[in-house]
Amino acid sequence: MIQQVTFFAAAAVALVSALVAVSHRNPVVNVLSLVVTFFCVAVNYALLGAPFLAAAQILVYAGAILVLFL
């Protein structure tokens, strides 16, 4: 039960932050909301039983790719 609530909460936060990342005009806000989106996706990967994908999501995307955007 708690896993479903966490999954849907992370999915909702990921959806809202992805919409902010697309619609906002400030690039710093875009990158920060994209970081939130990537962390929420990593949480969902971890809840689905894929810890390697969760770690790769955080290290590769949130860590390396977004640094290039800034």
Side-chain angles (χ1 to χ4, degrees):
M1 180 66 183
I2 191 72
Q3 289 179 343
Q4 286 181 341
V5 171
T6 306
F7 182 83
F8 288 122
V13 171
L15 183 64
V16 169
S17 63
L19 289 174
V20 169
V22 171
S23 64
H24 209 276
R25 294 182 59 90
N26 190 355
V28 175
V29 174
N30 290 342
V31 169
L32 291 177
S33 61
L34 201 57
V35 167
V36 172
T37 303
F38 286 154
F39 275 114
C40 291
V41 170
V43 167
N44 284 339
Y45 282 151
L47 287 174
L48 288 172
F52 177 75
L53 285 178
Q57 181 78 24
I58 292 173
L59 291 175
V60 174
Y61 289 109
I65 303 259
L66 292 179
V67 171
L68 296 174
F69 287 148
L70 286 179

PDB file of all heavy atoms in Angstrom, residues 33-64:
ATOM      1  N   SER A  33      14.103  21.969 -12.264  1.00  0.00           N
ATOM      2  CA  SER A  33      12.894  21.152 -12.326  1.00  0.00           C
ATOM      3  C   SER A  33      13.153  19.841 -13.067  1.00  0.00           C
ATOM      4  O   SER A  33      12.542  18.814 -12.765  1.00  0.00           O
ATOM      5  CB  SER A  33      11.748  21.929 -12.973  1.00  0.00           C
ATOM      6  OG  SER A  33      12.078  22.287 -14.288  1.00  0.00           O
ATOM      7  N   LEU A  34      14.087  19.849 -13.999  1.00  0.00           N
ATOM      8  CA  LEU A  34      14.464  18.609 -14.662  1.00  0.00           C
ATOM      9  C   LEU A  34      15.202  17.677 -13.704  1.00  0.00           C
ATOM     10  O   LEU A  34      15.050  16.456 -13.772  1.00  0.00           O
ATOM     11  CB  LEU A  34      15.312  18.915 -15.887  1.00  0.00           C
ATOM     12  CG  LEU A  34      15.391  17.858 -16.971  1.00  0.00           C
ATOM     13  CD1 LEU A  34      14.009  17.506 -17.482  1.00  0.00           C
ATOM     14  CD2 LEU A  34      16.248  18.352 -18.113  1.00  0.00           C
ATOM     15  N   VAL A  35      15.992  18.235 -12.779  1.00  0.00           N
ATOM     16  CA  VAL A  35      16.637  17.429 -11.747  1.00  0.00           C
ATOM     17  C   VAL A  35      15.581  16.764 -10.863  1.00  0.00           C
ATOM     18  O   VAL A  35      15.681  15.575 -10.538  1.00  0.00           O
ATOM     19  CB  VAL A  35      17.607  18.290 -10.907  1.00  0.00           C
ATOM     20  CG1 VAL A  35      18.032  17.565  -9.645  1.00  0.00           C
ATOM     21  CG2 VAL A  35      18.801  18.678 -11.719  1.00  0.00           C
ATOM     22  N   VAL A  36      14.560  17.517 -10.493  1.00  0.00           N
ATOM     23  CA  VAL A  36      13.473  16.943  -9.688  1.00  0.00           C
ATOM     24  C   VAL A  36      12.783  15.830 -10.453  1.00  0.00           C
ATOM     25  O   VAL A  36      12.466  14.773  -9.894  1.00  0.00           O
ATOM     26  CB  VAL A  36      12.472  18.049  -9.276  1.00  0.00           C
ATOM     27  CG1 VAL A  36      11.242  17.451  -8.620  1.00  0.00           C
ATOM     28  CG2 VAL A  36      13.136  19.048  -8.348  1.00  0.00           C
ATOM     29  N   THR A  37      12.562  16.036 -11.740  1.00  0.00           N
ATOM     30  CA  THR A  37      11.948  15.003 -12.565  1.00  0.00           C
ATOM     31  C   THR A  37      12.801  13.744 -12.599  1.00  0.00           C
ATOM     32  O   THR A  37      12.283  12.631 -12.437  1.00  0.00           O
ATOM     33  CB  THR A  37      11.749  15.526 -13.999  1.00  0.00           C
ATOM     34  OG1 THR A  37      10.967  16.712 -13.959  1.00  0.00           O
ATOM     35  CG2 THR A  37      11.060  14.491 -14.856  1.00  0.00           C
ATOM     36  N   PHE A  38      14.105  13.899 -12.776  1.00  0.00           N
ATOM     37  CA  PHE A  38      14.988  12.737 -12.829  1.00  0.00           C
ATOM     38  C   PHE A  38      15.040  12.000 -11.493  1.00  0.00           C
ATOM     39  O   PHE A  38      15.096  10.775 -11.459  1.00  0.00           O
ATOM     40  CB  PHE A  38      16.387  13.140 -13.268  1.00  0.00           C
ATOM     41  CG  PHE A  38      16.502  13.458 -14.727  1.00  0.00           C
ATOM     42  CD1 PHE A  38      17.478  14.312 -15.175  1.00  0.00           C
ATOM     43  CD2 PHE A  38      15.641  12.908 -15.650  1.00  0.00           C
ATOM     44  CE1 PHE A  38      17.605  14.605 -16.524  1.00  0.00           C
ATOM     45  CE2 PHE A  38      15.753  13.188 -17.004  1.00  0.00           C
ATOM     46  CZ  PHE A  38      16.743  14.042 -17.439  1.00  0.00           C
ATOM     47  N   PHE A  39      15.028  12.728 -10.383  1.00  0.00           N
ATOM     48  CA  PHE A  39      15.012  12.070  -9.095  1.00  0.00           C
ATOM     49  C   PHE A  39      13.712  11.304  -8.865  1.00  0.00           C
ATOM     50  O   PHE A  39      13.720  10.208  -8.310  1.00  0.00           O
ATOM     51  CB  PHE A  39      15.245  13.074  -7.959  1.00  0.00           C
ATOM     52  CG  PHE A  39      16.690  13.348  -7.700  1.00  0.00           C
ATOM     53  CD1 PHE A  39      17.219  14.603  -7.932  1.00  0.00           C
ATOM     54  CD2 PHE A  39      17.532  12.357  -7.230  1.00  0.00           C
ATOM     55  CE1 PHE A  39      18.548  14.865  -7.707  1.00  0.00           C
ATOM     56  CE2 PHE A  39      18.878  12.599  -6.998  1.00  0.00           C
ATOM     57  CZ  PHE A  39      19.387  13.869  -7.229  1.00  0.00           C
ATOM     58  N   CYS A  40      12.598  11.871  -9.299  1.00  0.00           N
ATOM     59  CA  CYS A  40      11.320  11.158  -9.160  1.00  0.00           C
ATOM     60  C   CYS A  40      11.282   9.910 -10.031  1.00  0.00           C
ATOM     61  O   CYS A  40      10.746   8.877  -9.618  1.00  0.00           O
ATOM     62  CB  CYS A  40      10.161  12.084  -9.510  1.00  0.00           C
ATOM     63  SG  CYS A  40       9.898  13.395  -8.317  1.00  0.00           S
ATOM     64  N   VAL A  41      11.851   9.991 -11.211  1.00  0.00           N
ATOM     65  CA  VAL A  41      11.938   8.807 -12.070  1.00  0.00           C
ATOM     66  C   VAL A  41      12.834   7.758 -11.417  1.00  0.00           C
ATOM     67  O   VAL A  41      12.540   6.556 -11.464  1.00  0.00           O
ATOM     68  CB  VAL A  41      12.422   9.201 -13.479  1.00  0.00           C
ATOM     69  CG1 VAL A  41      12.747   7.989 -14.309  1.00  0.00           C
ATOM     70  CG2 VAL A  41      11.375  10.043 -14.171  1.00  0.00           C
ATOM     71  N   ALA A  42      13.914   8.184 -10.786  1.00  0.00           N
ATOM     72  CA  ALA A  42      14.794   7.245 -10.090  1.00  0.00           C
ATOM     73  C   ALA A  42      14.078   6.582  -8.914  1.00  0.00           C
ATOM     74  O   ALA A  42      14.266   5.383  -8.659  1.00  0.00           O
ATOM     75  CB  ALA A  42      16.051   7.961  -9.606  1.00  0.00           C
ATOM     76  N   VAL A  43      13.250   7.333  -8.214  1.00  0.00           N
ATOM     77  CA  VAL A  43      12.453   6.750  -7.127  1.00  0.00           C
ATOM     78  C   VAL A  43      11.509   5.689  -7.681  1.00  0.00           C
ATOM     79  O   VAL A  43      11.364   4.602  -7.101  1.00  0.00           O
ATOM     80  CB  VAL A  43      11.671   7.844  -6.369  1.00  0.00           C
ATOM     81  CG1 VAL A  43      10.602   7.241  -5.462  1.00  0.00           C
ATOM     82  CG2 VAL A  43      12.620   8.700  -5.562  1.00  0.00           C
ATOM     83  N   ASN A  44      10.889   5.971  -8.801  1.00  0.00           N
ATOM     84  CA  ASN A  44       9.983   4.990  -9.401  1.00  0.00           C
ATOM     85  C   ASN A  44      10.736   3.755  -9.874  1.00  0.00           C
ATOM     86  O   ASN A  44      10.239   2.643  -9.739  1.00  0.00           O
ATOM     87  CB  ASN A  44       9.195   5.620 -10.554  1.00  0.00           C
ATOM     88  CG  ASN A  44       8.087   6.507 -10.060  1.00  0.00           C
ATOM     89  OD1 ASN A  44       7.644   6.374  -8.932  1.00  0.00           O
ATOM     90  ND2 ASN A  44       7.650   7.416 -10.892  1.00  0.00           N
ATOM     91  N   TYR A  45      11.925   3.929 -10.421  1.00  0.00           N
ATOM     92  CA  TYR A  45      12.740   2.773 -10.798  1.00  0.00           C
ATOM     93  C   TYR A  45      13.080   1.932  -9.564  1.00  0.00           C
ATOM     94  O   TYR A  45      13.032   0.702  -9.609  1.00  0.00           O
ATOM     95  CB  TYR A  45      14.031   3.197 -11.481  1.00  0.00           C
ATOM     96  CG  TYR A  45      13.893   3.595 -12.918  1.00  0.00           C
ATOM     97  CD1 TYR A  45      14.763   4.521 -13.478  1.00  0.00           C
ATOM     98  CD2 TYR A  45      12.917   3.054 -13.741  1.00  0.00           C
ATOM     99  CE1 TYR A  45      14.669   4.892 -14.803  1.00  0.00           C
ATOM    100  CE2 TYR A  45      12.811   3.422 -15.067  1.00  0.00           C
ATOM    101  CZ  TYR A  45      13.692   4.339 -15.590  1.00  0.00           C
ATOM    102  OH  TYR A  45      13.591   4.694 -16.893  1.00  0.00           O
ATOM    103  N   ALA A  46      13.452   2.577  -8.478  1.00  0.00           N
ATOM    104  CA  ALA A  46      13.793   1.852  -7.256  1.00  0.00           C
ATOM    105  C   ALA A  46      12.584   1.095  -6.708  1.00  0.00           C
ATOM    106  O   ALA A  46      12.720  -0.034  -6.232  1.00  0.00           O
ATOM    107  CB  ALA A  46      14.339   2.817  -6.209  1.00  0.00           C
ATOM    108  N   LEU A  47      11.419   1.710  -6.782  1.00  0.00           N
ATOM    109  CA  LEU A  47      10.211   1.029  -6.301  1.00  0.00           C
ATOM    110  C   LEU A  47       9.829  -0.151  -7.186  1.00  0.00           C
ATOM    111  O   LEU A  47       9.214  -1.115  -6.714  1.00  0.00           O
ATOM    112  CB  LEU A  47       9.044   2.018  -6.220  1.00  0.00           C
ATOM    113  CG  LEU A  47       9.105   3.027  -5.089  1.00  0.00           C
ATOM    114  CD1 LEU A  47       7.980   4.032  -5.226  1.00  0.00           C
ATOM    115  CD2 LEU A  47       9.037   2.329  -3.749  1.00  0.00           C
ATOM    116  N   LEU A  48      10.183  -0.090  -8.445  1.00  0.00           N
ATOM    117  CA  LEU A  48       9.883  -1.188  -9.351  1.00  0.00           C
ATOM    118  C   LEU A  48      10.898  -2.322  -9.251  1.00  0.00           C
ATOM    119  O   LEU A  48      10.763  -3.334  -9.933  1.00  0.00           O
ATOM    120  CB  LEU A  48       9.816  -0.681 -10.795  1.00  0.00           C
ATOM    121  CG  LEU A  48       8.597   0.164 -11.126  1.00  0.00           C
ATOM    122  CD1 LEU A  48       8.736   0.761 -12.512  1.00  0.00           C
ATOM    123  CD2 LEU A  48       7.335  -0.659 -11.034  1.00  0.00           C
ATOM    124  N   GLY A  49      11.917  -2.147  -8.434  1.00  0.00           N
ATOM    125  CA  GLY A  49      12.895  -3.206  -8.228  1.00  0.00           C
ATOM    126  C   GLY A  49      14.073  -3.152  -9.170  1.00  0.00           C
ATOM    127  O   GLY A  49      14.673  -4.181  -9.462  1.00  0.00           O
ATOM    128  N   ALA A  50      14.399  -1.971  -9.666  1.00  0.00           N
ATOM    129  CA  ALA A  50      15.529  -1.804 -10.567  1.00  0.00           C
ATOM    130  C   ALA A  50      16.517  -0.798  -9.968  1.00  0.00           C
ATOM    131  O   ALA A  50      16.567   0.355 -10.389  1.00  0.00           O
ATOM    132  CB  ALA A  50      15.049  -1.340 -11.929  1.00  0.00           C
ATOM    133  N   PRO A  51      17.300  -1.230  -8.982  1.00  0.00           N
ATOM    134  CA  PRO A  51      18.205  -0.272  -8.322  1.00  0.00           C
ATOM    135  C   PRO A  51      19.328   0.220  -9.228  1.00  0.00           C
ATOM    136  O   PRO A  51      19.793   1.344  -9.067  1.00  0.00           O
ATOM    137  CB  PRO A  51      18.755  -1.053  -7.135  1.00  0.00           C
ATOM    138  CG  PRO A  51      18.600  -2.476  -7.514  1.00  0.00           C
ATOM    139  CD  PRO A  51      17.385  -2.558  -8.389  1.00  0.00           C
ATOM    140  N   PHE A  52      19.777  -0.609 -10.176  1.00  0.00           N
ATOM    141  CA  PHE A  52      20.821  -0.151 -11.090  1.00  0.00           C
ATOM    142  C   PHE A  52      20.314   0.982 -11.971  1.00  0.00           C
ATOM    143  O   PHE A  52      21.030   1.962 -12.199  1.00  0.00           O
ATOM    144  CB  PHE A  52      21.334  -1.301 -11.954  1.00  0.00           C
ATOM    145  CG  PHE A  52      22.365  -0.862 -12.955  1.00  0.00           C
ATOM    146  CD1 PHE A  52      23.655  -0.582 -12.551  1.00  0.00           C
ATOM    147  CD2 PHE A  52      22.042  -0.696 -14.291  1.00  0.00           C
ATOM    148  CE1 PHE A  52      24.605  -0.150 -13.459  1.00  0.00           C
ATOM    149  CE2 PHE A  52      22.975  -0.268 -15.208  1.00  0.00           C
ATOM    150  CZ  PHE A  52      24.274   0.003 -14.793  1.00  0.00           C
ATOM    151  N   LEU A  53      19.092   0.859 -12.482  1.00  0.00           N
ATOM    152  CA  LEU A  53      18.535   1.937 -13.298  1.00  0.00           C
ATOM    153  C   LEU A  53      18.333   3.205 -12.476  1.00  0.00           C
ATOM    154  O   LEU A  53      18.529   4.315 -12.985  1.00  0.00           O
ATOM    155  CB  LEU A  53      17.208   1.497 -13.919  1.00  0.00           C
ATOM    156  CG  LEU A  53      17.300   0.538 -15.080  1.00  0.00           C
ATOM    157  CD1 LEU A  53      15.910   0.153 -15.555  1.00  0.00           C
ATOM    158  CD2 LEU A  53      18.091   1.140 -16.206  1.00  0.00           C
ATOM    159  N   ALA A  54      17.949   3.044 -11.216  1.00  0.00           N
ATOM    160  CA  ALA A  54      17.773   4.215 -10.350  1.00  0.00           C
ATOM    161  C   ALA A  54      19.110   4.925 -10.123  1.00  0.00           C
ATOM    162  O   ALA A  54      19.194   6.149 -10.212  1.00  0.00           O
ATOM    163  CB  ALA A  54      17.161   3.795  -9.021  1.00  0.00           C
ATOM    164  N   ALA A  55      20.149   4.148  -9.860  1.00  0.00           N
ATOM    165  CA  ALA A  55      21.469   4.745  -9.648  1.00  0.00           C
ATOM    166  C   ALA A  55      22.007   5.368 -10.933  1.00  0.00           C
ATOM    167  O   ALA A  55      22.601   6.451 -10.908  1.00  0.00           O
ATOM    168  CB  ALA A  55      22.443   3.695  -9.126  1.00  0.00           C
ATOM    169  N   ALA A  56      21.793   4.701 -12.055  1.00  0.00           N
ATOM    170  CA  ALA A  56      22.245   5.249 -13.337  1.00  0.00           C
ATOM    171  C   ALA A  56      21.483   6.525 -13.678  1.00  0.00           C
ATOM    172  O   ALA A  56      22.057   7.466 -14.233  1.00  0.00           O
ATOM    173  CB  ALA A  56      22.070   4.217 -14.440  1.00  0.00           C
ATOM    174  N   GLN A  57      20.218   6.565 -13.351  1.00  0.00           N
ATOM    175  CA  GLN A  57      19.404   7.755 -13.601  1.00  0.00           C
ATOM    176  C   GLN A  57      19.969   8.952 -12.840  1.00  0.00           C
ATOM    177  O   GLN A  57      20.085  10.043 -13.380  1.00  0.00           O
ATOM    178  CB  GLN A  57      17.959   7.485 -13.174  1.00  0.00           C
ATOM    179  CG  GLN A  57      17.019   8.628 -13.400  1.00  0.00           C
ATOM    180  CD  GLN A  57      16.595   8.767 -14.843  1.00  0.00           C
ATOM    181  OE1 GLN A  57      16.623   7.807 -15.589  1.00  0.00           O
ATOM    182  NE2 GLN A  57      16.209   9.945 -15.218  1.00  0.00           N
ATOM    183  N   ILE A  58      20.331   8.729 -11.599  1.00  0.00           N
ATOM    184  CA  ILE A  58      20.845   9.835 -10.786  1.00  0.00           C
ATOM    185  C   ILE A  58      22.262  10.210 -11.213  1.00  0.00           C
ATOM    186  O   ILE A  58      22.565  11.395 -11.395  1.00  0.00           O
ATOM    187  CB  ILE A  58      20.801   9.470  -9.294  1.00  0.00           C
ATOM    188  CG1 ILE A  58      19.351   9.383  -8.838  1.00  0.00           C
ATOM    189  CG2 ILE A  58      21.552  10.484  -8.457  1.00  0.00           C
ATOM    190  CD1 ILE A  58      19.172   8.869  -7.448  1.00  0.00           C
ATOM    191  N   LEU A  59      23.133   9.211 -11.378  1.00  0.00           N
ATOM    192  CA  LEU A  59      24.529   9.518 -11.683  1.00  0.00           C
ATOM    193  C   LEU A  59      24.725  10.073 -13.090  1.00  0.00           C
ATOM    194  O   LEU A  59      25.411  11.082 -13.280  1.00  0.00           O
ATOM    195  CB  LEU A  59      25.399   8.274 -11.504  1.00  0.00           C
ATOM    196  CG  LEU A  59      25.584   7.801 -10.081  1.00  0.00           C
ATOM    197  CD1 LEU A  59      26.352   6.495 -10.062  1.00  0.00           C
ATOM    198  CD2 LEU A  59      26.283   8.853  -9.268  1.00  0.00           C
ATOM    199  N   VAL A  60      24.128   9.430 -14.063  1.00  0.00           N
ATOM    200  CA  VAL A  60      24.371   9.827 -15.451  1.00  0.00           C
ATOM    201  C   VAL A  60      23.544  11.051 -15.822  1.00  0.00           C
ATOM    202  O   VAL A  60      24.078  12.052 -16.290  1.00  0.00           O
ATOM    203  CB  VAL A  60      24.090   8.650 -16.410  1.00  0.00           C
ATOM    204  CG1 VAL A  60      24.191   9.101 -17.850  1.00  0.00           C
ATOM    205  CG2 VAL A  60      25.042   7.525 -16.136  1.00  0.00           C
ATOM    206  N   TYR A  61      22.254  10.988 -15.621  1.00  0.00           N
ATOM    207  CA  TYR A  61      21.408  12.076 -16.090  1.00  0.00           C
ATOM    208  C   TYR A  61      21.450  13.282 -15.160  1.00  0.00           C
ATOM    209  O   TYR A  61      21.774  14.389 -15.585  1.00  0.00           O
ATOM    210  CB  TYR A  61      19.977  11.590 -16.283  1.00  0.00           C
ATOM    211  CG  TYR A  61      19.841  10.678 -17.459  1.00  0.00           C
ATOM    212  CD1 TYR A  61      19.605   9.330 -17.296  1.00  0.00           C
ATOM    213  CD2 TYR A  61      19.985  11.164 -18.748  1.00  0.00           C
ATOM    214  CE1 TYR A  61      19.489   8.496 -18.381  1.00  0.00           C
ATOM    215  CE2 TYR A  61      19.887  10.333 -19.834  1.00  0.00           C
ATOM    216  CZ  TYR A  61      19.632   9.001 -19.642  1.00  0.00           C
ATOM    217  OH  TYR A  61      19.530   8.169 -20.706  1.00  0.00           O
ATOM    218  N   ALA A  62      21.106  13.081 -13.898  1.00  0.00           N
ATOM    219  CA  ALA A  62      21.060  14.222 -12.970  1.00  0.00           C
ATOM    220  C   ALA A  62      22.459  14.735 -12.661  1.00  0.00           C
ATOM    221  O   ALA A  62      22.631  15.919 -12.377  1.00  0.00           O
ATOM    222  CB  ALA A  62      20.330  13.827 -11.698  1.00  0.00           C
ATOM    223  N   GLY A  63      23.442  13.876 -12.711  1.00  0.00           N
ATOM    224  CA  GLY A  63      24.787  14.303 -12.355  1.00  0.00           C
ATOM    225  C   GLY A  63      25.576  14.881 -13.498  1.00  0.00           C
ATOM    226  O   GLY A  63      26.172  15.942 -13.393  1.00  0.00           O
ATOM    227  N   ALA A  64      25.589  14.210 -14.631  1.00  0.00           N
ATOM    228  CA  ALA A  64      26.492  14.596 -15.704  1.00  0.00           C
ATOM    229  C   ALA A  64      25.816  15.399 -16.811  1.00  0.00           C
ATOM    230  O   ALA A  64      26.329  16.436 -17.220  1.00  0.00           O
ATOM    231  CB  ALA A  64      27.120  13.333 -16.303  1.00  0.00           C
TER     232      ALA A  64
END
